Amino acid sequence: MKVTEHIAQANGNTQFSFEILPPLKGQHIKSIFDNIDPLMEFKPPFIDVTYHREEYVYKEQANGLLKRQVVKKRPGTVGICAAIQNRYKVDAIPHILCGGFTKEDTENFLIDLDFLGIQNVVALRGDAVKTETYFTPEKDGHEYAEGLVKQIKALNDGHYLDDELLNTSKTNFCIGIAGYPEKHMEAPSLDSDIHFLKKKIKSGAEYIVTQMFFDNQKYFDFVEKCRKEGISIPIIPGLKPIATKKQLNLLPHRFHVDLPEALIAEVIKCKDNAEVKQVGIEWCIQQSKELQKAGIPVLHYYSMGKSDNIQTIASQVF
Ligand SMILES: Cc1cc2nc3c(=O)[nH]c(=O)nc-3n(C[C@H](O)[C@H](O)[C@H](O)COP(=O)(O)OP(=O)(O)OC[C@H]3O[C@@H](n4cnc5c(N)ncnc54)[C@H](O)[C@@H]3O)c2cc1C
């Protein structure tokens, strides 16, 4: 089922969903199931699976020179989605990127998803590869998520890249996109970011999932601004419970989000990460309850490969 249909059928109840990332290459899919199993009692209508593009690593050779190698550390997004749909009978949503994909790669990826019965995708640009400052698209790839959304929508209308194909089958993807309550790191202003968000919607996106935030007011203000700008599609909030002291610096650095002073103060007081985890759980429960009270249709949790704290939060909220 499509995310938009899940939301329509929820009859005003707030639903639980979460995102997982594929395991590092070499690990078994069991590590994924072990994280998902405890969360299934909260009946997620869908589970997102992130996509991780290639990275460049430099390996020293016998002659002392460095050799550049291209590696994908977390492959398996499509396989995991298929396995989730098969094992749990819930919708699995692969994230799909512009980065590292030509338009032809994208089309072939989408054909695989369609054949597997996957009906939702989250269309994203992706970040720059770690060794580069700015995002560079593939030679025949998309520069922004908007182009990717357009390509998925075209396939939904039966338009393949090869316009000589006859009697083509139409795909039926519901397209999700990213939104940033605290603006995307490269956007010169929130207004500019929302301007481009609207273009993704005009191109065919049907729902938004937000970047994590730790202050609900940021989300409420963002939704209000989007609605004033005429954006009417669902805006699903993304939530992440802080779990280590290191994340006080890592999350703002990596995701360009602010942490509220009160949360920072609580984390600083903690003696160890077990205490930080507890603070993160309590903070996230409060955030979740407030969003639930506001009638938000779905709360989406970033599990980042660990489900125990999400399980504790969900048991208090759903
Ligand atoms: C919910 C969510 C899930 C994510 N999942 C993944 C994942 O699985 N894998 C992964 O690698 N990354 C993921 N990311 C990170 C994401 O790829 C990065 O944040 C990336 O830098 C931006 O992606 P986007 O789709 O928002 O880009 P875009 O919508 O293309 O926007 C990128 C920037 O360009 C600007 N912009 C957009 N269109 C134009 C235009 N036409 N002209 C000029 N400027 C423009 C925007 O304002 C923004 O600043 C996720 C992010 C979120 C919020």
Side-chain angles (χ1 to χ4, degrees), residues 146-218:
E146 182 194 349
L148 178 56
V149 171
K150 277 188 181 149
Q151 186 177 359
I152 303 168
K153 176 72 173 64
L155 214 61
N156 280 348
D157 293 334
H159 302 306
Y160 289 66
L161 294 172
D162 178 354
D163 53 17
E164 288 180 6
L165 292 179
L166 296 174
N167 302 320
T168 51
S169 159
K170 293 179 179 182
T171 56
N172 190 20
F173 292 112
C174 175
I175 309 168
I177 47 169
Y180 303 82
E182 298 177 61
K183 93 171 181 63
H184 182 256
M185 60 178 157
E186 293 162 28
S189 69
L190 186 57
D191 284 344
S192 155
D193 211 17
I194 290 178
H195 167 79
F196 290 118
L197 186 64
K198 278 165 68 177
K199 289 185 123 195
K200 291 193 277 190
I201 296 162
K202 206 165 163 226
S203 301
E206 290 173 78
Y207 71 96
I208 298 166
V209 185
T210 77
Q211 182 57 280
M212 65 181 73
F213 55 88
F214 296 87
D215 175 356
N216 283 352
Q217 199 51 50
K218 300 232 162 123

Side-chain angles (χ1 to χ4, degrees), residues 19 49-53 95-98 122-128 143-146 177-180 184-189 192-194 196-197 199-200 209-212 254 300 302:
E19 173 186 294
V49 184
T50 54
Y51 191 93
H52 298 260
R53 62 175 302 183
H95 292 187
I96 171 168
L97 304 182
C98 304
V122 175
L124 301 142
R125 187 196 69 179
D127 288 323
E143 192 175 2
Y144 296 106
E146 182 194 349
I177 47 169
Y180 303 82
H184 182 256
M185 60 178 157
E186 293 162 28
S189 69
S192 155
D193 211 17
I194 290 178
F196 290 118
L197 186 64
K199 289 185 123 195
K200 291 193 277 190
V209 185
T210 77
Q211 182 57 280
M212 65 181 73
R254 171 87 184 78
H300 189 67
Y302 294 111

Side-chain angles (χ1 to χ4, degrees), residues 218-273:
K218 300 232 162 123
Y219 168 80
F220 292 132
D221 291 348
F222 176 68
V223 173
E224 195 185 334
K225 212 167 167 47
C226 286
R227 300 299 181 227
K228 271 194 193 144
E229 286 293 326
I231 293 175
S232 57
I233 62 174
I235 304 178
I236 298 175
L239 297 169
K240 147 105 189 97
I242 192 164
T244 63
K245 234 175 210 185
K246 207 170 148 197
Q247 287 176 349
L248 269 190
N249 305 109
L250 194 140
L251 297 176
H253 178 68
R254 171 87 184 78
F255 299 104
H256 300 262
V257 294
D258 282 344
L259 301 185
E261 291 300 338
L263 175 59
I264 299 169
E266 284 303 312
V267 172
I268 286 174
K269 268 195 262 162
C270 293
K271 286 196 293 294
D272 53 31
N273 279 340

Side-chain angles (χ1 to χ4, degrees), residues 22-39:
L24 285 166
K25 192 181 266 186
Q27 287 182 21
H28 199 268
I29 196 166
K30 185 176 176 302
S31 63
I32 291 290
F33 296 149
D34 288 347
N35 274 302
I36 297 179
D37 286 348
L39 299 177

